[in-house]
């Protein structure tokens, strides 16, 4: 989105880009740092500034680097450390993303456990944990505490039940 703005004008200040894109200031600072700071061979944009090297200020001016060249069709930009003045606005965004991620992972874990138990019918706790981790490892590595929580949830929802003779064995409820 930021690079497309340079089709309209040759030069933008950070503040103008902030107003034109409606991107949150900390996110735009990270984006501009990636595009304009770092190694000269990775600078897609050029920055004119009166401040320190690794800070982006609202008065900074950015232009397209006409000398930028890449040997490949796809350009991979490296992240650059930048001093973000208002780091507190980043935290809620990160927390919200984590909550969404955890929610979707819970359903993946539930589905994996049910799939395993559907085929095995009965399984000891330790074996169920190991098999679930093996299945989910391609996407993410779940924590054992999360797996225990999800097993308890499946027991509450009557997908699984504990064996009456051995409490460490689970049975699938059809």
């Amino acid at each position: 989105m930021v690079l497309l703005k340079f089709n309209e004008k040759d030069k933008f200040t950070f503040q103008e880009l902030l107003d034109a894109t409606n991107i949150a200031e900390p996110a735009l600072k990270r984006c501009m740092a990636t595009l304009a700071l770092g190694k000269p061979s990775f600078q897609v944009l050029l920055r004119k500034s009166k401040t320190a090297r690794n800070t982006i200020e609202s008065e900074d001016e950015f232009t397209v680097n006409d000398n930028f060249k890449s040997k490949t069709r796809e350009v991979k930009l490296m992240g650059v450390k930048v001093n973000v003045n208002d780091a507190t606005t980043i935290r809620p965004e990160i927390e919200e993303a984590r909550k969404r991620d955890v929610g979707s992972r819970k359903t993946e874990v539930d589905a994996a456990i049910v799939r395993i138990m559907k085929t095995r019918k009965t399984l000891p706790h330790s074996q169920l944990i190991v098999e679930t981790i093996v299945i989910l490892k391609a996407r993410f590595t779940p924590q054992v505490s999360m797996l225990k929580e999800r097993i308890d949830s499946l027991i509450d929802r009557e997908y699984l039940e504990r064996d009456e003779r051995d409490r460490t064995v689970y049975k699938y409820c059809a």
Side-chain angles (χ1 to χ4, degrees):
M1 182 190 289
V2 171
L3 291 176
L4 289 174
K5 284 293 170 190
F6 286 91
N7 287 335
E8 299 169 13
K9 248 170 62 169
D10 290 339
K11 188 187 295 186
F12 282 94
T13 65
F14 178 79
Q15 189 61 46
E16 289 172 337
L17 286 169
L18 189 63
D19 296 338
T21 60
N22 290 326
I23 298 174
E25 186 173 347
L28 185 59
K29 281 188 177 186
R30 285 192 307 275
C31 176
M32 297 309 291
T34 300
L35 294 170
L37 302 178
K39 292 182 180 180
S41 59
F42 289 109
Q43 291 178 350
V44 177
L45 298 177
L46 297 174
R47 175 183 74 127
K48 288 185 184 174
S49 177
K50 298 174 185 165
T51 61
R53 178 166 156 65
N54 284 340
T55 59
I56 304 285
E57 301 296 332
S58 59
E59 309 85 39
D60 291 356
E61 290 183 350
F62 296 93
T63 57
V64 174
N65 183 359
D66 293 326
N67 295 326
F68 177 80
K69 290 183 181 157
S70 176
K71 294 178 183 176
T72 61
R73 284 180 55 188
E74 187 176 298
V75 178
K76 293 182 181 178
L77 300 171
M78 308 303 254
V80 177
K81 280 191 176 181
V82 63
N83 299 331
V84 178
N85 297 335
D86 191 10
T88 56
T89 57
I90 298 171
R91 297 201 192 290
E93 294 171 11
I94 293 171
E95 287 303 316
E96 186 179 317
R98 280 189 187 139
K99 285 178 186 174
R100 279 194 314 267
D101 198 28
V102 167
S104 67
R105 286 183 176 183
K106 283 180 181 180
T107 55
E108 283 187 62
V109 171
D110 288 354
I113 292 171
V114 169
R115 214 174 308 124
I116 292 166
M117 291 304 295
K118 206 173 197 179
T119 59
R120 300 293 180 93
K121 303 298 182 204
T122 62
L123 213 55
H125 174 79
S126 58
Q127 192 173 351
L128 177 59
I129 295 291
V130 169
E131 288 190 30
T132 306
I133 290 172
V134 168
I135 286 176
L136 294 172
K137 200 158 191 110
R139 292 188 182 96
F140 66 97
T141 304
Q143 294 180 345
V144 175
S145 61
M146 180 189 199
L147 295 178
K148 289 179 182 178
E149 175 190 315
R150 300 317 308 153
I151 290 170
D152 288 340
S153 172
L154 289 169
I155 290 171
D156 291 343
R157 293 183 285 160
E158 297 179 355
Y159 284 93
L160 303 177
E161 66 182 9
R162 293 185 191 274
D163 188 23
E164 294 168 6
R165 285 175 272 135
D166 186 359
R167 303 294 287 165
T168 63
V169 175
Y170 301 110
K171 290 183 178 178
Y172 176 70
C173 300

